[in-house]
Amino acid sequence: MLDEFCTHTTANSCAESSSPSSTTPTLLEAPVSGVPPVITTQLALQRAIERLDALTGPVAIDTERASGIRYGQRAYLIQLKRAGTAPVLIDPIAPIDLEPLYQFLAPQEWVLHAATQDLPCLRELELIPQRIFDTELASRLAGYQKVGLASMVEQLLGYTLKKEYSSVDWSSRPLPKEWLVYAALDVEILVDLRDALEEVLISQGKLQYALEEFDYIVRTNHPQKPRDPWRKTKGIHELSTKSQLTVLRNLWHEREHLAKCKDIAPKRLLPDASLVQAARQMPRTVPQLLKIAGFQTRALAREAPRWIRAIARAHQEKDYVPFTIPSQGPPPLKSWECRRPLSLELIQEAKAAINQLSEDVNIPHNNILAPNTLRKICWDMPREISAESLKDGLIALDARPWQVQLTMPVLLPLFEKFHTP
């Protein structure tokens, strides 16, 4: 556990004392064992796996992506660390077979910080965990206010980490040494942070909460594509007609296709503001299009006919998209008063009760119960109100056992109060 490298707080540590200690934290400038070369060959990967497999304990894992620079969320570097060995840095875009890595990692406990950010790109590489420990989520459940990796390392371990390379282009090659130092430090003491947080959770009686949450992430980490993602375009509210919305949809999909072909982040290729402006003006000729900011770059000017065709299709088809799409959940809260006034009163009191519970147990209210779960259970109240029916309703909406146990005492009286046979 790197005992010679760092010490963590005792089991009596309390998240309520999350302010920095009076002593000046120590800056971690490089891993104790140095920064190894990036693995780019099958032989080097096999040797690294053998070193890791000779040891025991959880495996710290992190990835570096090129978010906002390249298309998608592909991993461009994988970092691993197990107590007793130097960090392992793997280049996942090198021509190597990662199957041996999967075989090694599959039965291990993975330690990640903000697992839902890293697991999708690891899944793309067919690296799928069976057990995890998410130090960010554990920090939230323990009641810490600042749960970033650098902040938690400082609060619990007394060290500071530099974060100046978090947004660099990790797809570039070769990777500068200072970037690799940064990447290696992200896993250098992650297992120590895990152990410190486990002690805190045990002292607070919350370890079981965390274990159930980690298991839930492993079971459900299969992100689905959002419905009509183009509706998230920044500035869409500036469009006032269905034809403009249809043009925006067509332009958004053209940008997505082109960005994927060029392997560049869509908004880096063409800002949302340019799409919205083109949808408002609906230019019919290339010269008109090129007057709109964002379309004049050399790469995009060559693609001008593509954008004009996308706009023309919206007029030709005349199958304009609607302003809104049917909700897959409860309607907006503002419509509850006239449609289901009792549900509105119920959710208002339920929110207040959950917020008070949040203060009492020192856990964020949206970790105690997902807001969407609360909305759904209040909108569609069980026909018969009992402890069993409410429990079944919450579980059907993906509430974990610990959440059901914690919220039932405050929710059941409210559901009984507002239930009408």
Side-chain angles (χ1 to χ4, degrees):
M1 304 298 177
L2 289 179
D3 290 335
E4 78 286 357
F5 183 64
C6 64
T7 57
H8 55 248
T9 55
T10 67
N12 294 323
S13 299
C14 178
E16 294 168 357
S17 60
S18 58
S19 57
S21 62
S22 56
T23 58
T24 303
T26 303
L27 175 64
L28 291 183
E29 299 191 73
V32 168
S33 303
V35 180
V38 178
I39 291 173
T40 59
T41 68
Q42 203 67 42
L43 179 60
L45 177 64
Q46 189 59 46
R47 287 176 175 170
I49 292 172
E50 289 170 0
R51 290 195 301 273
L52 291 168
D53 201 26
L55 301 166
T56 59
V59 180
I61 302 180
D62 190 30
T63 64
E64 302 299 342
R65 302 175 297 279
S67 303
I69 299 173
R70 295 290 184 176
Y71 184 84
Q73 293 297 314
R74 182 178 183 179
Y76 287 96
L77 188 70
I78 300 173
Q79 306 100 278
L80 306 174
K81 177 75 167 67
R82 203 171 204 175
T85 188
V88 173
L89 306 179
I90 302 170
D91 183 351
I93 65 173
I96 52 178
D97 179 10
L98 295 179
E99 175 64 19
L101 180 62
Y102 168 76
Q103 295 297 333
F104 161 69
L105 285 175
Q108 313 298 336
E109 178 190 276
W110 300 14
V111 182
L112 308 101
H113 193 82
T116 53
Q117 295 181 19
D118 292 298
L119 289 180
C121 66
L122 289 168
R123 181 175 291 276
E124 285 185 12
L125 298 169
E126 300 184 358
L127 301 174
I128 303 170
Q130 296 177 13
R131 292 182 298 142
I132 68 166
F133 191 106
D134 184 338
T135 51
E136 185 201 46
L137 180 52
S139 301
R140 294 184 189 281
L141 296 175
Y144 288 92
Q145 300 300 309
K146 297 180 180 180
V147 297
L149 178 60
S151 179
M152 290 308 304
V153 165
E154 182 171 331
Q155 291 176 80
L156 285 184
L157 303 179
Y159 292 89
T160 58
L161 298 173
K162 294 181 179 180
K163 301 302 293 181
E164 65 265 41
Y165 300 115
S166 59
S167 301
V168 298
D169 184 3
W170 288 94
S171 67
S172 61
R173 293 295 185 272
L175 292 170
K177 182 179 179 180
E178 57 270 24
W179 294 15
L180 298 178
V181 170
Y182 159 85
L185 285 175
D186 271 357
V187 293
E188 176 75 355
I189 54 175
L190 196 53
V191 171
D192 293 272
L193 180 60
R194 173 236 183 270
D195 293 343
L197 281 165
E198 184 178 62
E199 290 186 9
V200 173
L201 290 170
I202 290 172
S203 72
Q204 296 177 351
K206 297 176 181 176
L207 181 60
Q208 184 59 33
Y209 302 173
L211 296 178
E212 289 180 20
E213 289 299 296
F214 302 157
D215 179 63
Y216 179 77
I217 291 175
V218 170
R219 288 187 291 106
T220 62
N221 191 244
H222 305 276
Q224 298 179 344
K225 291 184 179 180
R227 186 180 180 188
D228 285 358
W230 61 269
R231 290 184 182 271
K232 298 293 185 181
T233 304
K234 186 177 181 181
I236 191 174
H237 64 277
E238 298 175 18
L239 305 180
S240 57
T241 69
K242 292 181 179 180
S243 60
Q244 289 177 332
L245 284 177
T246 306
V247 168
L248 176 65
R249 179 202 62 184
N250 290 2
L251 292 174
W252 188 95
H253 283 294
E254 286 297 333
R255 181 182 68 173
E256 195 75 5
H257 174 75
L258 191 59
K260 186 175 183 179
C261 291
K262 292 181 176 292
D263 192 17
I264 185 171
K267 293 181 182 180
R268 188 180 180 91
L269 177 71
L270 186 65
D272 281 0
S274 300
L275 293 184
V276 172
Q277 189 67 10
R280 287 181 62 188
Q281 296 183 13
M282 291 190 280
R284 295 178 179 272
T285 67
V286 169
Q288 290 175 344
L289 176 74
L290 295 181
K291 290 180 181 179
I292 299 174
F295 286 92
Q296 303 95 337
T297 65
R298 181 178 299 177
L300 290 184
R302 288 197 299 266
E303 301 288 345
R306 172 194 298 272
W307 311 108
I308 295 299
R309 288 194 298 270
I311 295 170
R313 281 199 305 274
H315 298 300
Q316 293 163 1
E317 296 167 4
K318 295 187 177 179
D319 184 17
Y320 297 139
V321 298
F323 283 112
T324 59
I325 54 177
S327 174
Q328 295 178 318
L333 212 58
K334 60 184 179 182
S335 69
W336 288 29
E337 186 171 5
C338 60
R339 297 177 64 180
R340 296 188 187 178
L342 283 180
S343 290
L344 178 61
E345 292 183 58
L346 171 59
I347 196 171
Q348 289 171 338
E349 293 200 22
K351 281 183 175 180
I354 294 294
N355 286 339
Q356 183 59 55
L357 181 61
S358 170
E359 291 184 19
D360 293 343
V361 300
N362 199 22
I363 298 175
H365 66 87
N366 28 333
N367 287 113
I368 289 178
L369 196 63
N372 201 39
T373 297
L374 186 61
R375 285 167 61 88
K376 288 180 177 179
I377 197 75
C378 289
W379 176 255
D380 285 319
M381 284 186 271
R383 291 185 179 182
E384 300 292 332
I385 297 298
S386 66
E388 195 65 28
S389 66
L390 184 56
K391 175 183 176 181
D392 290 344
L394 289 169
I395 290 175
L397 293 171
D398 272 351
R400 271 67 80 196
W402 76 269
Q403 294 175 320
V404 174
Q405 181 182 2
L406 204 59
T407 58
M408 281 287 290
V410 299
L411 291 181
L412 183 57
L414 295 177
F415 275 79
E416 291 174 337
K417 173 182 176 181
F418 289 101
H419 180 252
T420 54

PDB file of all heavy atoms in Angstrom, residues 67 129 165 182 233 236 242 254 269 292 295-296 306 325 383 407 416 421:
ATOM      1  N   SER A  67     -10.883  14.244 -25.151  1.00  0.00           N
ATOM      2  CA  SER A  67     -12.218  14.832 -25.161  1.00  0.00           C
ATOM      3  C   SER A  67     -12.170  16.266 -25.682  1.00  0.00           C
ATOM      4  O   SER A  67     -11.315  17.046 -25.283  1.00  0.00           O
ATOM      5  CB  SER A  67     -12.811  14.817 -23.748  1.00  0.00           C
ATOM      6  OG  SER A  67     -12.837  13.507 -23.226  1.00  0.00           O
ATOM      7  N   PRO A 129     -15.078  -4.813 -16.129  1.00  0.00           N
ATOM      8  CA  PRO A 129     -14.828  -5.250 -14.750  1.00  0.00           C
ATOM      9  C   PRO A 129     -15.929  -6.141 -14.194  1.00  0.00           C
ATOM     10  O   PRO A 129     -17.070  -6.119 -14.668  1.00  0.00           O
ATOM     11  CB  PRO A 129     -14.781  -3.929 -13.980  1.00  0.00           C
ATOM     12  CG  PRO A 129     -15.771  -3.064 -14.704  1.00  0.00           C
ATOM     13  CD  PRO A 129     -15.633  -3.438 -16.168  1.00  0.00           C
ATOM     14  N   TYR A 165      -2.392  18.921 -17.149  1.00  0.00           N
ATOM     15  CA  TYR A 165      -2.410  18.212 -18.430  1.00  0.00           C
ATOM     16  C   TYR A 165      -3.699  17.422 -18.660  1.00  0.00           C
ATOM     17  O   TYR A 165      -3.758  16.551 -19.511  1.00  0.00           O
ATOM     18  CB  TYR A 165      -1.202  17.273 -18.536  1.00  0.00           C
ATOM     19  CG  TYR A 165       0.131  17.993 -18.441  1.00  0.00           C
ATOM     20  CD1 TYR A 165       0.994  17.758 -17.376  1.00  0.00           C
ATOM     21  CD2 TYR A 165       0.500  18.935 -19.406  1.00  0.00           C
ATOM     22  CE1 TYR A 165       2.207  18.435 -17.280  1.00  0.00           C
ATOM     23  CE2 TYR A 165       1.708  19.617 -19.305  1.00  0.00           C
ATOM     24  CZ  TYR A 165       2.551  19.362 -18.239  1.00  0.00           C
ATOM     25  OH  TYR A 165       3.749  20.032 -18.145  1.00  0.00           O
ATOM     26  N   TYR A 182       2.328  13.005 -15.234  1.00  0.00           N
ATOM     27  CA  TYR A 182       0.970  13.346 -14.783  1.00  0.00           C
ATOM     28  C   TYR A 182       0.067  12.119 -14.816  1.00  0.00           C
ATOM     29  O   TYR A 182      -0.669  11.838 -13.856  1.00  0.00           O
ATOM     30  CB  TYR A 182       0.407  14.449 -15.677  1.00  0.00           C
ATOM     31  CG  TYR A 182      -1.095  14.561 -15.663  1.00  0.00           C
ATOM     32  CD1 TYR A 182      -1.741  15.310 -14.691  1.00  0.00           C
ATOM     33  CD2 TYR A 182      -1.872  13.898 -16.622  1.00  0.00           C
ATOM     34  CE1 TYR A 182      -3.131  15.400 -14.672  1.00  0.00           C
ATOM     35  CE2 TYR A 182      -3.250  13.989 -16.598  1.00  0.00           C
ATOM     36  CZ  TYR A 182      -3.880  14.730 -15.635  1.00  0.00           C
ATOM     37  OH  TYR A 182      -5.242  14.822 -15.617  1.00  0.00           O
ATOM     38  N   THR A 233     -28.439  20.804 -28.844  1.00  0.00           N
ATOM     39  CA  THR A 233     -27.607  21.843 -29.451  1.00  0.00           C
ATOM     40  C   THR A 233     -27.761  23.154 -28.684  1.00  0.00           C
ATOM     41  O   THR A 233     -28.883  23.618 -28.465  1.00  0.00           O
ATOM     42  CB  THR A 233     -28.004  22.064 -30.921  1.00  0.00           C
ATOM     43  OG1 THR A 233     -27.914  20.819 -31.620  1.00  0.00           O
ATOM     44  CG2 THR A 233     -27.081  23.078 -31.580  1.00  0.00           C
ATOM     45  N   ILE A 236     -30.528  26.223 -29.353  1.00  0.00           N
ATOM     46  CA  ILE A 236     -31.678  25.735 -30.120  1.00  0.00           C
ATOM     47  C   ILE A 236     -32.932  26.556 -29.832  1.00  0.00           C
ATOM     48  O   ILE A 236     -33.829  26.659 -30.675  1.00  0.00           O
ATOM     49  CB  ILE A 236     -31.916  24.239 -29.821  1.00  0.00           C
ATOM     50  CG1 ILE A 236     -32.930  23.645 -30.812  1.00  0.00           C
ATOM     51  CG2 ILE A 236     -32.349  24.027 -28.390  1.00  0.00           C
ATOM     52  CD1 ILE A 236     -33.115  22.150 -30.682  1.00  0.00           C
ATOM     53  N   LYS A 242     -40.751  24.859 -37.160  1.00  0.00           N
ATOM     54  CA  LYS A 242     -40.419  23.453 -37.346  1.00  0.00           C
ATOM     55  C   LYS A 242     -39.440  23.257 -38.492  1.00  0.00           C
ATOM     56  O   LYS A 242     -38.600  22.354 -38.453  1.00  0.00           O
ATOM     57  CB  LYS A 242     -41.695  22.640 -37.599  1.00  0.00           C
ATOM     58  CG  LYS A 242     -42.614  22.537 -36.401  1.00  0.00           C
ATOM     59  CD  LYS A 242     -43.843  21.687 -36.727  1.00  0.00           C
ATOM     60  CE  LYS A 242     -44.769  21.555 -35.518  1.00  0.00           C
ATOM     61  NZ  LYS A 242     -45.965  20.741 -35.836  1.00  0.00           N
ATOM     62  N   GLU A 254     -25.081  15.910 -40.326  1.00  0.00           N
ATOM     63  CA  GLU A 254     -23.980  16.071 -41.287  1.00  0.00           C
ATOM     64  C   GLU A 254     -22.678  16.367 -40.550  1.00  0.00           C
ATOM     65  O   GLU A 254     -21.624  15.832 -40.887  1.00  0.00           O
ATOM     66  CB  GLU A 254     -24.293  17.191 -42.284  1.00  0.00           C
ATOM     67  CG  GLU A 254     -25.338  16.833 -43.319  1.00  0.00           C
ATOM     68  CD  GLU A 254     -24.907  15.684 -44.220  1.00  0.00           C
ATOM     69  OE1 GLU A 254     -23.689  15.486 -44.414  1.00  0.00           O
ATOM     70  OE2 GLU A 254     -25.788  14.966 -44.728  1.00  0.00           O
ATOM     71  N   LEU A 269     -15.016  20.933 -34.833  1.00  0.00           N
ATOM     72  CA  LEU A 269     -15.144  21.056 -36.283  1.00  0.00           C
ATOM     73  C   LEU A 269     -16.003  22.249 -36.650  1.00  0.00           C
ATOM     74  O   LEU A 269     -15.643  23.056 -37.522  1.00  0.00           O
ATOM     75  CB  LEU A 269     -15.769  19.776 -36.856  1.00  0.00           C
ATOM     76  CG  LEU A 269     -16.038  19.760 -38.355  1.00  0.00           C
ATOM     77  CD1 LEU A 269     -14.734  19.692 -39.132  1.00  0.00           C
ATOM     78  CD2 LEU A 269     -16.933  18.576 -38.714  1.00  0.00           C
ATOM     79  N   ILE A 292     -21.718  32.889 -43.088  1.00  0.00           N
ATOM     80  CA  ILE A 292     -22.019  32.557 -41.692  1.00  0.00           C
ATOM     81  C   ILE A 292     -20.737  32.155 -40.973  1.00  0.00           C
ATOM     82  O   ILE A 292     -19.970  31.326 -41.459  1.00  0.00           O
ATOM     83  CB  ILE A 292     -23.052  31.411 -41.617  1.00  0.00           C
ATOM     84  CG1 ILE A 292     -24.363  31.843 -42.283  1.00  0.00           C
ATOM     85  CG2 ILE A 292     -23.300  30.992 -40.168  1.00  0.00           C
ATOM     86  CD1 ILE A 292     -25.395  30.738 -42.381  1.00  0.00           C
ATOM     87  N   PHE A 295     -18.210  28.615 -40.988  1.00  0.00           N
ATOM     88  CA  PHE A 295     -18.200  27.813 -42.208  1.00  0.00           C
ATOM     89  C   PHE A 295     -17.066  28.204 -43.156  1.00  0.00           C
ATOM     90  O   PHE A 295     -16.895  27.575 -44.188  1.00  0.00           O
ATOM     91  CB  PHE A 295     -19.537  27.947 -42.952  1.00  0.00           C
ATOM     92  CG  PHE A 295     -20.672  27.207 -42.311  1.00  0.00           C
ATOM     93  CD1 PHE A 295     -21.499  27.837 -41.394  1.00  0.00           C
ATOM     94  CD2 PHE A 295     -20.909  25.873 -42.611  1.00  0.00           C
ATOM     95  CE1 PHE A 295     -22.553  27.161 -40.802  1.00  0.00           C
ATOM     96  CE2 PHE A 295     -21.963  25.187 -42.020  1.00  0.00           C
ATOM     97  CZ  PHE A 295     -22.788  25.838 -41.102  1.00  0.00           C
ATOM     98  N   GLN A 296     -16.281  29.251 -42.816  1.00  0.00           N
ATOM     99  CA  GLN A 296     -15.295  29.755 -43.773  1.00  0.00           C
ATOM    100  C   GLN A 296     -13.961  29.041 -43.725  1.00  0.00           C
ATOM    101  O   GLN A 296     -13.081  29.321 -44.539  1.00  0.00           O
ATOM    102  CB  GLN A 296     -15.043  31.264 -43.536  1.00  0.00           C
ATOM    103  CG  GLN A 296     -16.283  32.114 -43.627  1.00  0.00           C
ATOM    104  CD  GLN A 296     -16.916  32.355 -42.263  1.00  0.00           C
ATOM    105  OE1 GLN A 296     -16.697  31.582 -41.342  1.00  0.00           O
ATOM    106  NE2 GLN A 296     -17.698  33.411 -42.143  1.00  0.00           N
ATOM    107  N   ARG A 306     -22.252  19.983 -49.122  1.00  0.00           N
ATOM    108  CA  ARG A 306     -22.853  19.032 -48.177  1.00  0.00           C
ATOM    109  C   ARG A 306     -23.897  19.743 -47.298  1.00  0.00           C
ATOM    110  O   ARG A 306     -25.001  19.246 -47.092  1.00  0.00           O
ATOM    111  CB  ARG A 306     -21.752  18.430 -47.297  1.00  0.00           C
ATOM    112  CG  ARG A 306     -22.260  17.574 -46.146  1.00  0.00           C
ATOM    113  CD  ARG A 306     -21.133  17.305 -45.146  1.00  0.00           C
ATOM    114  NE  ARG A 306     -20.049  16.571 -45.755  1.00  0.00           N
ATOM    115  CZ  ARG A 306     -19.982  15.242 -45.818  1.00  0.00           C
ATOM    116  NH1 ARG A 306     -20.962  14.514 -45.300  1.00  0.00           N
ATOM    117  NH2 ARG A 306     -18.954  14.646 -46.371  1.00  0.00           N
ATOM    118  N   ILE A 325     -40.904  16.187 -28.215  1.00  0.00           N
ATOM    119  CA  ILE A 325     -41.133  14.750 -28.393  1.00  0.00           C
ATOM    120  C   ILE A 325     -41.793  14.217 -27.137  1.00  0.00           C
ATOM    121  O   ILE A 325     -41.597  14.763 -26.037  1.00  0.00           O
ATOM    122  CB  ILE A 325     -39.813  13.996 -28.672  1.00  0.00           C
ATOM    123  CG1 ILE A 325     -38.772  14.290 -27.587  1.00  0.00           C
ATOM    124  CG2 ILE A 325     -39.272  14.364 -30.032  1.00  0.00           C
ATOM    125  CD1 ILE A 325     -37.485  13.532 -27.757  1.00  0.00           C
ATOM    126  N   ARG A 383     -50.987   1.622  -6.427  1.00  0.00           N
ATOM    127  CA  ARG A 383     -52.439   1.628  -6.182  1.00  0.00           C
ATOM    128  C   ARG A 383     -52.763   1.353  -4.722  1.00  0.00           C
ATOM    129  O   ARG A 383     -53.674   1.942  -4.146  1.00  0.00           O
ATOM    130  CB  ARG A 383     -53.098   0.572  -7.078  1.00  0.00           C
ATOM    131  CG  ARG A 383     -53.067   0.936  -8.557  1.00  0.00           C
ATOM    132  CD  ARG A 383     -53.835  -0.092  -9.381  1.00  0.00           C
ATOM    133  NE  ARG A 383     -53.821   0.277 -10.798  1.00  0.00           N
ATOM    134  CZ  ARG A 383     -54.446  -0.429 -11.740  1.00  0.00           C
ATOM    135  NH1 ARG A 383     -55.124  -1.530 -11.410  1.00  0.00           N
ATOM    136  NH2 ARG A 383     -54.382  -0.041 -13.006  1.00  0.00           N
ATOM    137  N   THR A 407     -34.767   5.437   2.827  1.00  0.00           N
ATOM    138  CA  THR A 407     -35.833   6.389   2.485  1.00  0.00           C
ATOM    139  C   THR A 407     -37.228   5.936   2.903  1.00  0.00           C
ATOM    140  O   THR A 407     -38.127   6.768   3.042  1.00  0.00           O
ATOM    141  CB  THR A 407     -35.840   6.667   0.969  1.00  0.00           C
ATOM    142  OG1 THR A 407     -36.023   5.441   0.250  1.00  0.00           O
ATOM    143  CG2 THR A 407     -34.542   7.323   0.533  1.00  0.00           C
ATOM    144  N   GLU A 416     -48.787   7.483   2.352  1.00  0.00           N
ATOM    145  CA  GLU A 416     -50.047   7.164   3.043  1.00  0.00           C
ATOM    146  C   GLU A 416     -50.903   8.416   3.192  1.00  0.00           C
ATOM    147  O   GLU A 416     -52.137   8.365   3.043  1.00  0.00           O
ATOM    148  CB  GLU A 416     -49.737   6.562   4.410  1.00  0.00           C
ATOM    149  CG  GLU A 416     -49.113   5.169   4.327  1.00  0.00           C
ATOM    150  CD  GLU A 416     -48.677   4.663   5.695  1.00  0.00           C
ATOM    151  OE1 GLU A 416     -48.445   5.487   6.606  1.00  0.00           O
ATOM    152  OE2 GLU A 416     -48.541   3.418   5.836  1.00  0.00           O
ATOM    153  N   PRO A 421     -57.764   6.080  -2.170  1.00  0.00           N
ATOM    154  CA  PRO A 421     -58.195   4.747  -2.603  1.00  0.00           C
ATOM    155  C   PRO A 421     -59.042   4.821  -3.885  1.00  0.00           C
ATOM    156  O   PRO A 421     -59.752   5.793  -4.110  1.00  0.00           O
ATOM    157  CB  PRO A 421     -59.030   4.257  -1.412  1.00  0.00           C
ATOM    158  CG  PRO A 421     -58.594   5.087  -0.249  1.00  0.00           C
ATOM    159  CD  PRO A 421     -58.220   6.429  -0.809  1.00  0.00           C
TER     160      PRO A 421
END
